[in-house]
Amino acid sequence: MSQAPITPLTLRGGAGTLAAWEARPPAGVEVRGTVVLVPGFTGSKEDFEAMLPLLAHDGYRAVAYDQRGQWQSDGPDDISGYTMDDFTGDLIRVLDQVSPNEPVHLVGHSFGGYVSRVVVIAAPHRVRSFTLLASGPSSIEDINFPPPQLVAQFVEAGGQEAIWQQMSTAMFDSGNAPAPERLEFLHNRILATKKANILGILKVMEVPPVADPAVLRDAGVPILVAYGDTNDLWAPGVHENFAAQLHAETAVYHGVGHLPNEDVPAQVCADLVKFWEETA
């Protein structure tokens, strides 16, 4: 069967337009629901490029978007426009536009999981299931990442290029560097992402998105915690403990780091579909 095409989609956010992609089930495939995928810090819709057609092939309309100020989405130039309320408000607007009458399967990668979990608590009736994809409990402790305030000082001084140099050195050693064209895209993307977005997210990350996991658990939405067990920002034990606190299912990707959505997209999609079928 031919691969479902990815098409551009323009959505309305609270600070202008949000650039998005969608893939729809091909003709003859029963539509089983809508999936919204939320990217993380310095990410974009392209982080889910390999997943969107696979999910559509399995019967799900799949939508991913750039958060405000990321890559091709509009966003303010001042850090004050990047609070958690701003990010969650945009996500609610996205849900209103792509699936106003039916709850969605929500997938948040890393910081996208932070934003998504706040929406799950605020509006659980809008969400059929929630997946935390390489998204641990907080950026304050039990994380292999410098303190957000320290990173913010680094960005203030050196801008997007400085954080690119830091992140690329940390993530892409000689054994796992992406192809040159992919590396060029990642570099261009972070340069195009607004400095205020980067600083705003770092400010948001200074406080755990949900202080008590029981609040998220008690929202009553089925939860999947999916993560790689090698060089993720959070150690496997941190994810495992978080999943236990949430009474969540787990999916573990052996030998994979912080980007299972890119490294093993077919396996991630298979786990998602299995989870959705079991919790339907």
Side-chain angles (χ1 to χ4, degrees):
M1 182 179 293
S2 61
Q3 189 177 72
I6 293 175
T7 58
L9 183 67
T10 300
L11 301 170
R12 299 181 306 278
T17 60
L18 299 173
W21 279 351
E22 70 172 333
R24 292 178 176 266
V29 174
E30 178 186 1
V31 179
R32 305 167 71 184
T34 297
V35 184
V36 174
L37 304 105
V38 187
F41 180 57
T42 71
S44 69
K45 59 190 177 300
E46 283 79 5
D47 295 343
F48 305 105
E49 182 173 7
M51 290 178 58
L52 295 177
L54 297 175
L55 294 173
H57 179 271
D58 284 325
Y60 295 91
R61 180 194 179 199
V63 177
Y65 70 100
D66 301 349
Q67 297 203 65
R68 61 170 53 206
Q70 284 183 334
W71 185 219
Q72 296 174 321
S73 282
D74 292 337
D77 292 322
D78 192 276
I79 187 176
S80 63
Y82 295 91
T83 66
M84 180 59 86
D85 285 346
D86 294 318
F87 289 114
T88 56
D90 284 344
L91 178 51
I92 290 291
R93 290 182 182 91
V94 169
L95 301 184
D96 288 342
Q97 291 166 78
V98 304
S99 188
N101 300 316
E102 297 290 339
V104 306
H105 295 290
L106 190 57
V107 179
H109 175 249
S110 199
F111 177 75
Y114 287 20
V115 175
S116 300
R117 72 187 72 169
V118 176
V119 169
V120 170
I121 292 169
H125 62 287
R126 305 299 304 272
V127 184
R128 291 176 64 179
S129 76
F130 175 41
T131 297
L132 287 158
L133 182 60
S135 184
S138 82
S139 297
I140 308 303
E141 55 188 6
D142 295 329
I143 182 173
N144 183 25
F145 192 79
Q149 290 178 329
L150 181 63
V151 180
Q153 293 172 8
F154 192 66
V155 175
E156 286 276 19
Q160 293 94 317
E161 180 62 31
I163 196 169
W164 163 254
Q165 294 298 333
Q166 182 187 55
M167 293 180 65
S168 60
T169 299
M171 294 178 65
F172 307 135
D173 59 31
S174 59
N176 65 1
E181 60 272 17
R182 177 65 177 171
L183 200 64
E184 182 181 12
F185 164 74
L186 295 174
H187 190 193
N188 290 337
R189 179 176 68 179
I190 202 166
L191 294 179
T193 293
K194 289 182 177 291
K195 183 178 179 180
N197 164 280
I198 295 172
L199 292 172
I201 290 178
L202 289 167
K203 183 69 175 177
V204 170
M205 286 165 56
E206 291 178 8
V207 179
V210 180
D212 184 356
V215 178
L216 177 57
R217 180 190 69 215
D218 293 346
V221 175
I223 301 173
L224 175 68
V225 173
Y227 58 94
D229 67 357
T230 306
N231 297 324
D232 189 13
L233 295 180
W234 295 269
V238 174
H239 286 297
E240 184 178 356
N241 182 59
F242 194 32
Q245 293 176 309
L246 296 173
H247 296 178
E249 300 293 323
T250 59
V252 183
Y253 305 106
H254 301 295
V256 173
H258 191 54
L259 300 171
N261 43 305
E262 297 183 33
D263 294 338
V264 286
Q267 189 176 350
V268 174
C269 289
D271 287 336
L272 289 174
V273 171
K274 180 173 180 285
F275 172 60
W276 297 336
E277 290 175 343
E278 290 175 349
T279 57

